[in-house]
Amino acid sequence: MHWRYKTIAYLSIMATFLGCTEKTKESAIHLITLDPGHFHAALVQKSMYPDVDARVHVYAPEGPDVKLHLEKIEGYNKRAENPTHWNEVVYTGTHYFEKMLADKTGNVVVLAGNNEKKADYIQRSVEAGFNVLSDKPMIINAKDFDRLKASFATADQKNVLLYDIMTERFEISTALQREFSKIESAFGTLEKGTPDNPAVTKESVHHFYKYVSGNVLTRPAWFMDVNQQGEGIVDVTTHLVDLVQWECFPEQVIDYQKDIKLTSARRWTTDMTRSQFKTITKQADFPAYLKNAITRDSVLKVYSNGEINYQLKGVHAKVSVTWAYKAPEGGGDTHYSIMRGTKANLVIRQGAEQKFVPTLYIEPRDTTAAYEAALQTALQTVQQTYPGIELKKISTGWEVVIPKKYQEGHEAHFGRVTENYLKYLKEGKLPAWEVPNMISKYYTTTQALELAKKGK
C-alpha cells in the first residue's frame, strides 16, 4: 500500500504558512483524523489552535467520505475571512486503521464518522496510547457498553484522555439556563417532578436536509442506516442526556448503577422518499444494506426518532429527538428545554416567534417585588461571567436578552469543545466527574434503546 500526499493550502497565505513552519515543528499536539465520514470531523478544523501542528494526518478508506472531508478543509483554507492553513497528509487503503496504529504520526485521534466502527476505533486507539477526541455517540448499542467502560479504564492506565464532543454545552441559552439554575434566590431548588410532568424536559428537532458552512450538506448513505449511524434514541439524545446531567447536577459524579432509573422509552420512524434520499446523498438509489427498511419500493423508514423518560438522582427527566426531512423556510434545527424550580421555571424556546434563535425565559411562580429584586441581584452574579446579559420584562416573566457576541452558532461550538479538550491535555487530566458521567450517559441511551425495542 502506498502513501498519497495531498497538501491543501491556499497560495495567497503560503507566506503565512511558511512563517509558521518552525512553530508547528515544536507544537505539542499533532492531530490524526481517522475515517472521517461525518462533517463534524471537519468542523474541528474550522479554526486553527495554538500548539496544534498545521499538519494533520488522515487515515481512511478511499471513497466519497474522505473526499468530502478534504473538500471542507480546503474550503476553510480558501475562505476570504480568517482562512486556515491546514496541511492534510492523506493515506487511503484497505488497512488504513492498522497503518495509523503503526505509524503513530500524531498523539490525538479525531473520530467523527460511521458509529458502528466507533467502539473498535476507540478501544484500539486508546490501547495503542493515543488520546481520542470523539464525536458523539461513542457507542450505539448496549453490547458495546462494557467495551466503552474498558476503554476508559485503559485510557486511565495509559495516561491518555478519551473525550466526546459535547457542543451543546456551549450554546449560550443553555449555558445561561444552567447559570440561573445554580442561583437559589432566582430559581429555588430543582423539583423532583413526576413521569407525567418531569422536572426537566429537553426536546430537539433536526433535519436531514441542511446547510453546513454555507453549502447543502451531502450525507453519506449509511447515515440513514441505523446499524451504522445508530437510532435517534442513541444519537442526538446523547446531547440531551448530557445536558440533563450537566445542568441538574453540575460537576457532580453520577453513578450509573445507583443514580439512573429508566421509566419508559419509545422509538418511531421518519419516512424518506427515493427522491429525497438522492438529494441529500447524491446517490441514484437506495443501497442494498437499506433494503429491509424500505416499504412500497420507494419509501425508506429511518428509526431516527426517540424519547426517554427516566429518573436521575430521583429527578424525573424526559428527552426526545425528532428528525424531519427539511426545516420550514427560515428555520433550522430547534431546541426546547424547561427546568422547573420551586421559585421559577427556566425555559428555552426556539420557534418561529423567536425567529428560530434559542431564547431563554424566566417564568416565576412568585410575582412579588421581593422576587424581582432577588432576580436582579442574581443577574448581577451572572453578568460577572457573561457581561452584557440583560433581562426584559414580558407578560410571563422575563426574557434573557443575549448580546450577539455570545450567539456563535453550532459550527463555532466545535472549536470551543476542542479548545477545552486541548486545555485538559495540557493539564494531563479531565475533571473528575467527566468520565463517570460519560459512562452514565451512554448507559442511559443504550439501555433506553433496549427498553424501546421491547415496546416499554
Side-chain angles (χ1 to χ4, degrees), residues 185-406:
S185 61
F187 179 66
T189 56
L190 183 64
E191 294 206 344
K192 296 295 184 182
T194 66
D196 294 330
N197 189 21
V200 184
T201 298
K202 291 188 176 292
E203 300 173 353
S204 184
V205 178
H206 289 256
H207 303 90
F208 288 104
Y209 182 103
K210 68 190 300 182
Y211 285 85
V212 172
S213 300
N215 298 304
V216 176
L217 177 64
T218 299
R219 294 191 184 273
W222 56 258
F223 188 82
M224 274 59 73
D225 180 11
V226 296
N227 294 315
Q228 299 182 70
Q229 175 63 22
E231 295 200 14
I233 202 169
V234 293
D235 184 11
V236 176
T237 53
T238 307
H239 279 305
L240 306 183
V241 172
D242 179 77
L243 292 180
V244 171
Q245 297 178 170
W246 184 70
E247 292 189 68
C248 296
F249 302 98
E251 299 178 14
Q252 295 183 39
V253 170
I254 295 169
D255 184 339
Y256 78 93
Q257 294 176 306
K258 298 177 182 177
D259 297 333
I260 298 168
K261 181 179 178 182
L262 293 174
T263 305
S264 63
R266 66 189 184 99
R267 58 204 269 269
W268 63 100
T269 63
T270 295
D271 290 355
M272 185 181 298
T273 66
R274 180 181 279 106
S275 175
Q276 289 173 330
F277 180 85
K278 181 179 179 180
T279 298
I280 61 172
T281 66
K282 306 298 188 291
Q283 295 197 18
D285 207 347
F286 299 121
Y289 55 74
L290 288 174
K291 65 179 182 180
N292 292 333
I294 297 168
T295 61
R296 302 192 301 277
D297 297 326
S298 62
V299 177
L300 177 67
K301 290 187 171 292
V302 187
Y303 271 101
S304 52
N305 312 296
E307 178 183 287
I308 310 171
N309 291 276
Y310 66 110
Q311 292 181 57
L312 178 64
K313 290 182 178 284
V315 173
H316 286 272
K318 182 179 83 169
V319 299
S320 66
V321 60
T322 304
W323 281 77
Y325 178 71
K326 189 177 181 180
E329 190 66 32
D333 295 351
T334 61
H335 179 69
Y336 168 80
S337 171
I338 183 170
M339 295 180 71
R340 297 198 296 110
T342 54
K343 292 185 177 179
N345 295 336
L346 302 175
V347 189
I348 297 172
R349 298 185 177 92
Q350 192 183 357
E353 184 180 342
Q354 292 78 30
K355 298 181 180 178
F356 300 102
V357 175
T359 305
L360 175 62
Y361 300 93
I362 300 174
E363 300 179 352
R365 299 186 174 193
D366 181 353
T367 57
T368 64
Y371 174 80
E372 183 168 355
L375 180 59
Q376 292 297 330
T377 301
L379 173 64
Q380 293 173 18
T381 300
V382 174
Q383 287 171 334
Q384 292 175 16
T385 305
Y386 298 97
I389 299 298
E390 297 291 346
L391 294 177
K392 182 174 74 174
K393 193 79 168 70
I394 58 176
S395 61
T396 55
W398 286 268
E399 176 186 331
V400 180
V401 180
I402 303 171
K404 286 192 178 296
K405 65 180 180 180
Y406 294 118

